[in-house]
Amino acid sequence: MVLRILGIALAWALPLASAAGETIYKYRQADGQVIYSNRPMSDAVLLEQFEYESPAQMRIEGDREKSLLDAEQRIAKDLAALEQAWNEVQDARQALARAEERLRAEVEPKADEPRQLAGSADAAPPAAGGPSSPAPPGVGGPQAPAPPAVGGPMGRRQGGGGRSPEYQERTAALEADVRAAQEQLDAALRRYNALR
């Protein structure tokens, strides 16, 4: 009998509990009947009280905690990826600076490198085996170059210049290193900006 009353009282009191949880009171009335209530009663003896959460509320809170934990893990992962991308940007900047410094240090030919002697930039005359004069522009020959003021050549380049093939190969390799370092920095910056 008491269990039946207990079950009825509990079934009556539990729906009264709000979604956020509620305090449930267990009382014994003067006639010995045990009842449950979500409000304090002055005309009965309090036997115990407990906090009640509906199973749906516990599931919602569990889902909320899992969602918060998932969000924290996702944020931590994103921050770690962003930090790694920033470190790659810094490393790429340093690599570019080192490549540019190596190129600047090698501008001058080394003392033991063979040098080419600079010859005259003027071609030999046709009588001595040089090229023939070009045809005039009116009959299909080359046009006269534009003046420097409108984008023409700035002047004649002198041939030779003392740059040996070894120097030119070394300089080309250093310039390629600078280009590769710049491309690496550009890629690192793109990755970093994509994560921001």
Side-chain angles (χ1 to χ4, degrees):
M1 174 76 171
V2 172
L3 288 177
R4 197 176 112 225
I5 293 172
L6 174 65
I8 293 170
L10 195 54
W12 173 79
L14 293 182
L16 296 177
S18 69
E22 191 167 344
T23 302
I24 302 297
Y25 302 95
K26 179 180 176 183
Y27 289 103
R28 179 177 293 127
Q29 292 184 319
D31 62 2
Q33 183 180 4
V34 175
I35 63 169
Y36 289 85
S37 173
N38 63 340
R39 293 187 207 110
M41 299 175 64
S42 59
D43 59 345
V45 176
L46 177 64
L47 299 175
E48 67 178 296
Q49 70 183 42
F50 57 93
E51 295 299 317
Y52 173 79
E53 283 189 31
S54 70
Q57 179 63 26
M58 288 188 288
R59 187 178 64 249
I60 289 169
E61 287 183 4
D63 290 347
R64 186 180 315 137
E65 288 177 15
K66 184 178 182 309
S67 294
L68 288 174
L69 182 61
D70 289 347
E72 286 177 8
Q73 290 173 343
R74 193 171 52 252
I75 289 169
K77 182 180 174 185
D78 290 348
L79 287 175
L82 188 63
E83 183 177 353
Q84 179 181 354
W86 180 247
N87 289 338
E88 289 174 7
V89 167
Q90 297 305 315
D91 292 345
R93 281 188 175 147
Q94 291 173 1
L96 177 59
R98 288 191 299 269
E100 288 173 338
E101 182 59 34
R102 284 192 303 271
L103 180 61
R104 279 192 297 273
E106 298 293 329
V107 166
E108 293 300 320
K110 296 185 185 239
D112 60 343
E113 276 183 332
R115 293 177 181 244
Q116 290 180 337
L117 297 176
S120 169
D122 297 327
S132 299
S133 299
V139 293
Q143 298 291 322
V150 294
M154 299 301 288
R156 283 192 341 197
R157 177 182 170 143
Q158 299 296 318
R163 304 299 191 234
S164 69
E166 293 84 2
Y167 171 84
Q168 291 172 356
E169 287 174 16
R170 189 177 71 250
T171 303
L174 291 169
E175 288 171 348
D177 288 348
V178 169
R179 282 192 303 275
Q182 183 65 57
E183 289 170 5
Q184 183 180 1
L185 175 59
D186 292 344
L189 284 169
R190 281 193 298 274
R191 282 192 300 273
Y192 175 74
N193 288 329
L195 291 170
R196 286 178 43 188

